Amino acid sequence: MHIAIVGAGQAGAALAAKLRALGHTGPVTLIGAEPAAPYQRPPLSKAYLLGEMPLERLMLRAPEFWQAQDIRLMTGAAVSSLDPVARTLRVGDEVLRWDQLALTTGAHVRRLPAAMGGNLPGVHYVRTLADVDGMAPEFVAGRRVLIVGGGYIGLEAAAVAAKKGLHVTLIEAAPRILQRVAALETSDWFRALHTRHGVQIIEGVALSGLTGQGLVSGADLADGRHIPCDFAIVGVGILPETALAEAAGIALDNGIATDEQGRTSAPGIWAAGDCASFPHGAGRLRLESVPNAIDMAECVAGNMLGAGKPYAPKPWFWSDQYDVKLQIAGLNTGYTRVVVRDGGTARSHWYYAGDRLLAVDAMNDPRAFMIARRLIEAGRSADPALVADPATDLKSLMG
Ligand SMILES: Cc1cc2nc3c(=O)[nH]c(=O)nc-3n(C[C@H](O)[C@H](O)[C@H](O)COP(=O)(O)OP(=O)(O)OC[C@H]3O[C@@H](n4cnc5c(N)ncnc54)[C@H](O)[C@@H]3O)c2cc1C
C-alpha cells in the first residue's frame, strides 16, 4: 500500500515517521513544496531570528533519517493537482499513484492587499524559513521596524527586534493586543512587558496603508497619524491551505473538513495539522499549533493503518518573548472569568466557565502550566480561591 503525504511540514513529517513506527512497510512518499527538508517553525520568530539557533537545529530530523526509514522525501515539489477517483497526484511532470493520501498542507499568511502596500519591498511576512532568512538582514540596531498585528507572531518579532536594539512600533487594530486569543489580564501583562523593553504599542487604531516610493517607508493610520519606518513585518493571521483539496472537490469547513478520525469527504484521503478542521463538541475546531500538528498526524497515521481511533486534542501552546516563557494549556473559548495567581516573577491566569477550569496562561510558571494541564486533560477543576492564593501549593490541587 503506497501512502502519499502532501505537505512536508510538522504534521507531514510526524505522519510519515509514525507510519514506520507503527510497522507500515509499504512505500511512503512525503512531498513538500519548500526547498528545505521538514523543519520546525516556532524558532523562526524566536531563537533563529535572534541568531541564537543554527539552521541544523531547525531541522526536524537528521538528513539521513528519511533514507534510513525508507521514506521518499521530495522537496521543492509542489503538488499541482490530485484525482481522488483515479487515486493519483501530479507533482511537476510526474504522476504518482497512491492507495491512501494525507493532506498536511498547513497554512499560508494573510497578506495585506497590494492597495494597502502589502507587496511593497521591505514588507515582510513570517511563515517560512525563506521569509525569515529574507528579513533577518533588516534587523540592524538603530533601524526602525513597524510591526502590523499584535498576536503571538507580531509580539515575538517585536521582542527579537527590541533585543537587537531596533526601534519598534507595533500597531494593532483591535482594542488590545492578543484580543483574539487571550484575556484582558494577559494582554495587559504582555503590553507592560513590551513597554518596559521600549516597544511602542498602538492599539485600537486600524492601518490605512503602508506607504513608500519603491520601498516601504511608513504607515498611515486611520486616526491620521503617520509612522515612519525602515521596514515592516505583517503578522495578521493565517489561512488554511486548502486550494488542492478544494480543486479536487473535497469538502471544506474552516479548512479541510475531517471526521473524528481525520478522514476527509474523499475516500482514502485524510488530513491533519493547521489545514484540517475536525469535529469538536457541537461544532468544529481547527488548531494552529505544533502539538496539534503532531498529535493529529500521529492519530491519522494509526487510522490509515486501521486503528479506528477518534482524535482527542489536548491543546497546549507556548511563546517566548524576552526572558518570558508563556505556556498555555487548554482552550479558553467560553470563559466567564479569569483568576490571577501572582507569584512575583511566576504568574498565571486561570480561565473558568463558572467553576469549570478551561485554560491557563502561565508566564514563567512551568509548575502552574503542568498542573493546570493535567487537571484540564483529566476534566477536573480547581477551587478558584485556592488558585488565587500564591501560598497554595499547586500540587495539592491535584488532590
Ligand atoms: C513563525 C512561527 C512561529 C510559531 N510558533 C509556534 C509556537 O511557539 N508554538 C506552537 O505550538 N506553534 C507555533 N507555530 C505554529 C506551528 O508552526 C504550526 O502550527 C505547524 O507548523 C503546523 O504544522 P503543519 O504541518 O500543519 O503545517 P506546516 O508546518 O505549515 O507545513 C505545511 C507544508 O505543506 C507544504 N505544502 C502546502 N501545499 C503544498 C502542495 N500543494 N504541495 C506540496 N507541499 C505543500 C507547505 O509548503 C508547508 O511546508 C508557529 C508558526 C510560525 C510560522
Side-chain angles (χ1 to χ4, degrees):
M1 177 173 68
H2 177 204
I3 298 183
I5 304 165
V6 182
Q10 193 86 51
L15 204 154
K18 190 69 179 180
L19 287 171
R20 287 291 182 245
L22 291 173
H24 174 66
T25 52
V28 175
T29 308
L30 175 59
I31 312 164
E34 291 184 67
Y39 61 90
Q40 29 169 351
R41 297 188 196 282
L44 292 179
S45 51
K46 308 178 182 77
Y48 183 75
L49 185 57
L50 256 177
E52 289 179 353
M53 183 188 268
L55 181 61
E56 312 84 76
R57 282 197 44 219
L58 265 193
M59 295 298 143
L60 284 166
R61 300 285 186 173
E64 53 277 11
F65 173 84
W66 305 104
Q67 211 177 351
Q69 291 290 311
D70 195 19
I71 293 166
R72 182 184 177 201
L73 172 64
M74 299 171 73
T75 54
V79 173
S80 54
S81 64
L82 46 102
D83 183 334
V85 179
R87 299 209 171 190
T88 57
L89 62 80
R90 178 172 285 278
V91 50
D93 293 333
E94 201 176 336
V95 174
L96 287 182
R97 217 199 108 64
W98 43 267
D99 299 297
Q100 294 205 61
L101 178 81
L103 294 170
T104 51
T105 46
H108 57 267
V109 291
R110 195 191 288 272
R111 295 179 71 93
L112 286 183
M116 285 180 76
N119 295 340
L120 276 173
V123 177
H124 299 277
Y125 297 86
V126 198
R127 182 70 191 176
T128 66
L129 181 56
D131 291 339
V132 172
D133 284 344
M135 80 173 73
E138 303 258 33
F139 282 65
V140 175
R143 297 186 81 219
R144 298 161 304 175
V145 59
L146 176 89
I147 298 177
V148 182
Y152 288 119
I153 299 281
L155 291 174
E156 288 178 355
V160 170
K163 269 180 105 164
K164 289 193 148 227
L166 282 80
H167 302 286
V168 189
T169 305
L170 183 146
I171 59 172
E172 168 57 59
R176 57 181 174 86
I177 56 169
L178 299 176
Q179 169 147 308
R180 195 176 62 87
V181 290
L184 179 68
E185 290 79 353
T186 300
S187 299
D188 287 347
W189 196 89
F190 277 96
R191 184 188 310 102
L193 174 72
H194 281 272
T195 305
R196 279 203 301 281
H197 284 85
V199 174
Q200 190 197 359
I201 295 187
I202 301 173
E203 295 160 298
V205 184
L207 173 75
S208 299
L210 298 173
T211 57
Q213 296 294 328
L215 192 67
V216 69
S217 62
D220 287 333
L221 307 191
D223 64 3
R225 260 183 288 182
H226 179 79
I227 313 282
C229 68
D230 298 309
F231 70 104
I233 298 172
V234 178
V236 293
I238 58 172
L239 298 166
E241 184 53 69
T242 56
L244 200 58
E246 189 173 13
I250 294 170
L252 306 181
D253 185 352
N254 179 26
I256 303 170
T258 73
D259 69 6
E260 65 287 347
Q261 287 189 34
R263 276 185 291 241
T264 72
S265 61
I269 303 186
W270 309 69
D274 279 12
C275 69
S277 78
F278 51 87
H280 185 73
R284 304 187 68 78
L285 188 62
R286 190 178 64 76
L287 295 171
E288 300 168 355
S289 73
V290 164
N292 173 68
I294 296 173
D295 294 350
M296 187 173 185
E298 292 191 343
C299 179
V300 165
N303 291 338
M304 287 176 112
L305 303 178
K309 280 207 188 121
Y311 174 51
K314 296 175 178 169
W316 66 276
F317 189 79
W318 76 93
S319 174
D320 300 328
Q321 296 166 45
Y322 310 103
D323 53 355
V324 173
K325 181 156 208 82
L326 164 71
Q327 293 167 293
I328 303 171
L331 293 176
N332 64 22
T333 316
Y335 71 91
T336 52
R337 63 177 165 150
V338 175
V339 172
V340 174
R341 180 179 168 88
D342 188 356
T345 49
R347 184 181 167 104
S348 51
H349 299 161
W350 300 58
Y351 296 78
Y352 286 84
D355 287 332
R356 193 159 60 90
L357 177 63
L358 298 179
V360 167
D361 298 337
M363 281 76 76
N364 285 339
D365 198 346
R367 204 176 158 79
F369 166 72
M370 196 184 65
I371 286 168
R373 188 177 163 191
R374 284 206 207 138
L375 287 168
I376 293 163
E377 286 179 10
R380 295 175 52 195
S381 203
D383 181 340
L386 289 176
V387 165
D389 181 357
T392 305
D393 176 4
L394 284 177
K395 225 171 168 193
S396 69
L397 300 176
M398 300 293 297

